[in-house]
């Protein structure tokens, strides 16, 4: 006979059967399909066995039809465990409330610390954090992620170079590094101006100094353009005036614009795929225990042909210990793939626009593109290859003093 394994959550009891030939009582139970296991004989008139709680009323019917006596020796299982817990319901309620308070205190922000800024700026940051939803007593689960808060602070405070945010238990720590303004020092006199690159002089504005070049002159990188030496010395006079040469140099102020040239090569595909969100989405929420995820909201499939999934995870931490329980939220957004085909003319225009943006990104704000010309254009493997030549107007004054060239 196969030994039955008791189910703890159903609950079972150990009964004692007393009477002549007590094993016959269990034979009657088997005939009426009542599960009985762990039958053991204590004496000629006593037997012990285990039965489920649900079958007790059936055993009592059999006992009334026989001369045997029944008694309960031991009770085990979840029904009896719950019954015992009911006697301590006040203690359990208090324990449950204490656990909720403990979780709230460990998962919320109680202190906000800001380091690296003066008191006035610290007050401004506290006000901004309050507007961002970072408040004392608020659950971290309901706050934005640190990288999102960091991005907002850097956007709202241009004078902040870097900010590090560390939610450490009940502390919300911010370490701020501001952009340090260089100390005002006595500026060394710029006595000479050199060309930053090759070009043809198009405009010159010399406030102080003696120009050595004129408009429409071609200059090379490192060539002296304006000097602070006002007196032009002859070779015979140089030896006599060497000691007074420094006294004859003045500070130079000038802006010199020249026509310069750039070449760039790029490829533009005639066919491209773009992902566009349709606006339809579905949220799903899970509780994660280790590697196991249990869905708690948002059941079923999304039925989106193409979708983009954004995952947000919130973990529980108690002091420095991370609890292996996390709350996951998944946002399934429907996307539509659009296959766009361009003509050669459209590809060329897009390529020129990209080339202009890349060039202007590397120039200062005073520079401008005068002219552009396509030197070579070819079509190969579904792509348009462009070789573009740009003519640019830019300031070629070298900002490095007393050093020729870059």
């Amino acid at each position: 006979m196969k030994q039955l394994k008791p189910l703890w959550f159903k609950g079972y009891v150990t009964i004692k059967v007393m009477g002549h030939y007590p094993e016959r009582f269990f034979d009657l139970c088997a005939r009426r399909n009542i599960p009985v296991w762990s039958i053991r004989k204590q004496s000629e008139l006593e037997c012990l066995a285990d039965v489920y709680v649900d079958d007790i009323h059936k055993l009592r019917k059999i006992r009334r039809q026989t001369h045997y006596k029944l008694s309960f020796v031991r009770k085990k299982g979840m029904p009896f465990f719950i019954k015992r817990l009911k006697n301590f319901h006040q203690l359990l309620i208090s324990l449950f409330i204490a656990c909720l308070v403990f979780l709230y205190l460990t998962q919320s922000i109680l202190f906000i610390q800001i380091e690296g800024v003066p008191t006035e700026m610290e007050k401004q940051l506290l006000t901004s954090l309050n507007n961002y939803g970072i408040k004392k007593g608020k659950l971290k689960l309901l706050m934005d992620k640190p990288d999102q808060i960091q991005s907002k602070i850097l956007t709202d405070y241009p004078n902040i170079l870097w900010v590090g945010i560390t939610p450490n238990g009940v502390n919300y720590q911010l370490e701020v590094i501001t952009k340090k303004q260089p100390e005002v020092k006595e500026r060394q006199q710029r006595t000479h101006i050199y060309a930053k690159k090759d070009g043809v002089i198009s405009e010159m504005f010399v406030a102080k100094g003696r120009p050595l070049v004129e408009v429409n002159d071609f200059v090379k990188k490192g060539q002296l353009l304006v000097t602070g030496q006002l007196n032009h010395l002859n070779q015979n006079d140089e030896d006599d005036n060497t000691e007074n040469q420094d006294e004859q140099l003045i500070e130079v102020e000038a802006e010199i614009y020249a026509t310069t040239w750039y070449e760039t090569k790029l490829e533009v595909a005639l066919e491209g795929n773009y992902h566009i969100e349709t606006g339809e989405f579905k949220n799903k929420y899970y509780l994660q225990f280790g590697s196991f995820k249990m869905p708690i909201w948002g059941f079923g499939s999304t039925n989106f042909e193409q979708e983009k999934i954004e995952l947000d995870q919130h973990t529980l931490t108690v002091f420095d210990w991370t609890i292996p329980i996390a709350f996951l939220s998944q946002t399934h957004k429907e996307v539509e793939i659009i296959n766009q085909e361009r003509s050669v003319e459209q590809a060329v225009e897009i390529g020129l626009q990209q080339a202009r943006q890349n060039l202007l990104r590397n120039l200062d704000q005073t520079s401008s593109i005068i002219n552009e010309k396509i030197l070579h254009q070819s079509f190969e493997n579904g792509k348009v290859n462009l070789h573009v030549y740009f003519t640019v107007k830019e300031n070629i004054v070298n900002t490095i003093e007393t050093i020729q060239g870059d």
Side-chain angles (χ1 to χ4, degrees):
M1 181 177 179
K2 184 178 180 181
Q3 181 70 26
L4 292 176
K5 293 182 180 180
L7 299 176
W8 183 84
F9 67 89
K10 290 185 64 175
Y12 62 95
V13 297
T14 300
I15 62 173
K16 179 190 289 187
V17 180
M18 295 174 289
H20 292 285
Y21 304 105
E23 60 273 7
R24 293 181 178 178
F25 180 84
F26 300 114
D27 182 60
L28 294 175
C29 293
R31 293 181 181 182
R32 300 191 182 186
N33 296 323
I34 300 176
V36 180
W37 65 93
S38 299
I39 301 173
R40 49 211 182 268
K41 196 168 185 179
Q42 300 294 314
S43 65
E44 293 294 332
L45 300 178
E46 293 181 358
C47 273
L48 297 178
D50 295 335
V51 296
Y52 287 120
V53 176
D54 297 339
D55 296 329
I56 291 179
H57 67 284
K58 297 180 182 179
L59 295 178
R60 287 174 176 170
K61 290 182 181 180
I62 297 175
R63 188 198 65 79
R64 294 190 191 103
Q65 299 173 1
T66 61
H67 60 279
Y68 296 104
K69 293 182 179 180
L70 295 179
S71 62
F72 299 102
V73 178
R74 192 166 47 249
K75 302 175 182 178
K76 293 184 178 181
M78 186 172 64
F80 303 105
F81 178 74
I82 295 176
K83 187 176 181 180
R84 286 193 293 269
L85 289 179
K86 290 181 179 179
N87 298 327
F88 304 95
H89 64 279
Q90 294 181 350
L91 178 62
L92 292 176
I93 293 175
S94 301
L95 181 62
F96 178 73
I97 294 176
C99 291
L100 289 181
V101 173
F102 177 76
L103 286 176
Y104 170 75
L105 293 177
T106 55
Q107 301 306 313
S108 59
I109 297 298
L110 302 182
F111 306 98
I112 299 178
Q113 300 176 352
I114 302 177
E115 300 177 356
V117 294
T119 305
E120 183 178 354
M121 189 172 185
E122 182 179 351
K123 294 180 180 179
Q124 296 177 359
L125 286 173
L126 288 174
T127 303
S128 299
L129 289 175
N130 187 69
N131 296 332
Y132 302 154
I134 308 299
K135 305 176 182 179
K136 293 182 179 180
K138 189 173 182 180
L139 290 173
K140 289 183 283 186
L141 182 66
L142 305 177
M143 299 179 182
D144 291 337
K145 291 185 176 181
D147 55 348
Q148 297 175 337
I149 300 298
Q150 181 183 24
S151 178
K152 292 180 181 180
I153 292 177
L154 293 177
T155 302
D156 295 341
Y157 293 88
N159 59 331
I160 292 180
L161 179 64
W162 177 83
V163 56
I165 300 177
T166 307
N168 186 12
V170 296
N171 294 325
Y172 199 82
Q173 299 176 347
L174 278 79
E175 184 179 356
V176 181
I177 298 178
T178 58
K179 296 179 180 178
K180 295 183 179 180
Q181 299 295 335
E183 297 181 1
V184 179
K185 299 181 180 179
E186 279 188 36
R187 195 175 61 135
Q188 297 179 354
Q189 289 188 349
R190 185 168 59 177
T191 57
H192 301 288
I193 290 180
Y194 302 90
K196 186 165 55 176
K197 56 185 63 178
D198 297 349
V200 176
I201 304 297
S202 59
E203 295 179 5
M204 291 184 62
F205 306 95
V206 181
K208 294 181 180 180
R210 181 165 60 89
L212 301 180
V213 293
E214 297 179 355
V215 176
N216 298 325
D217 285 352
F218 176 80
V219 296
K220 293 186 177 182
K221 177 180 177 181
Q223 180 176 341
L224 183 61
L225 304 179
V226 180
T227 180
Q229 186 176 357
L230 298 181
N231 297 328
H232 182 70
L233 300 177
N234 296 324
Q235 185 68 27
N236 297 332
D237 299 335
E238 287 184 0
D239 295 336
D240 297 335
N241 297 306
T242 301
E243 296 179 357
N244 299 326
Q245 185 176 4
D246 293 337
E247 298 179 359
Q248 298 174 355
L249 295 178
I250 66 171
E251 183 180 4
V252 176
E253 293 183 8
E255 291 185 4
I256 301 176
Y257 294 88
T259 302
T260 57
W261 308 274
Y262 294 88
E263 294 185 21
T264 182
K265 295 180 181 180
L266 70 156
E267 296 179 349
V268 182
L270 293 180
E271 183 177 351
N273 295 326
Y274 300 91
H275 293 76
I276 300 177
E277 296 182 5
T278 63
E280 298 292 332
F281 67 94
K282 183 175 182 180
N283 293 324
K284 294 185 177 183
Y285 302 96
Y286 301 87
L287 275 180
Q288 183 175 1
F289 305 91
S291 59
F292 174 74
K293 292 193 301 183
M294 182 181 69
I296 57 177
W297 188 259
F299 305 98
S301 60
T302 57
N303 296 324
F304 296 152
E305 294 184 3
Q306 300 289 338
E307 65 179 8
K308 179 177 67 175
I309 300 177
E310 295 180 356
L311 179 63
D312 191 11
Q313 179 176 355
H314 299 275
T315 56
L316 300 179
T317 56
V318 178
F319 302 108
D320 293 332
W321 181 58
T322 301
I323 300 176
I325 300 176
F327 176 76
L328 300 179
S329 63
Q330 288 184 354
T331 303
H332 297 251
K333 296 183 178 181
E334 184 182 20
V335 296
E336 183 179 355
I337 300 178
I338 298 179
N339 187 356
Q340 183 179 10
E341 295 184 358
R342 311 184 183 101
S343 63
V344 176
E345 292 76 11
Q346 292 175 337
V348 171
E349 183 59 33
I350 293 175
L352 290 176
Q353 185 177 359
Q354 293 177 355
R356 294 190 206 103
Q357 293 176 354
N358 294 336
L359 177 59
L360 292 175
R361 194 178 296 117
N362 297 322
L363 300 175
D364 55 32
Q365 297 180 351
T366 61
S367 303
S368 61
I369 298 176
I370 301 175
N371 188 23
E372 61 187 35
K373 183 178 181 180
I374 300 176
L375 299 180
H376 181 71
Q377 175 180 330
S378 63
F379 176 75
E380 185 178 358
N381 297 328
K383 297 180 180 180
V384 176
N385 302 314
L386 297 176
H387 183 188
V388 188
Y389 185 83
F390 289 100
T391 303
V392 178
K393 175 187 175 182
E394 61 178 313
N395 191 346
I396 63 169
V397 171
N398 191 355
T399 57
I400 302 177
E401 300 173 359
T402 70
I403 299 177
Q404 296 188 7
D406 288 330

